[in-house]
Amino acid sequence: MTRRPAHILGLFSLDAPTRRTLAQSPDTPDDQLALLATDGNLHVRLAAARHPRMPRDVLGRLRCAGASHDLAAVGRGDPAM
């Protein structure tokens, strides 16, 4: 079984509006943004994906893996994507 740090597990216990707020916050760490981009809630995923500090490689991997079809348009027009 994979053990996750308590602060990461805490993300999953928060309600969707709070996770969305975290996904939009400039203070949210990159590792948490990456997790929020895989959230079960569409609005949380999109907020995380649109975050200016979302690691491009993470978003690119999610899109390539088909993990989230609703992220397909995020980053379009960016040559790095």
Side-chain angles (χ1 to χ4, degrees), residues 16-69:
T18 302
R19 293 191 315 274
R20 183 178 182 185
T21 298
L22 282 173
Q24 295 169 327
S25 171
D27 299 322
T28 301
D30 291 353
D31 63 333
Q32 290 183 13
L33 285 173
L35 282 174
L36 291 166
T38 64
D39 195 276
N41 181 282
L42 169 65
H43 301 290
V44 175
R45 284 195 304 274
L46 289 175
R50 291 178 176 140
H51 194 285
R53 278 194 4 266
M54 169 56 73
R56 290 181 185 181
D57 64 315
V58 171
L59 187 55
R61 284 193 311 265
L62 289 170
R63 288 176 50 205
C64 287
S68 199
H69 69 283

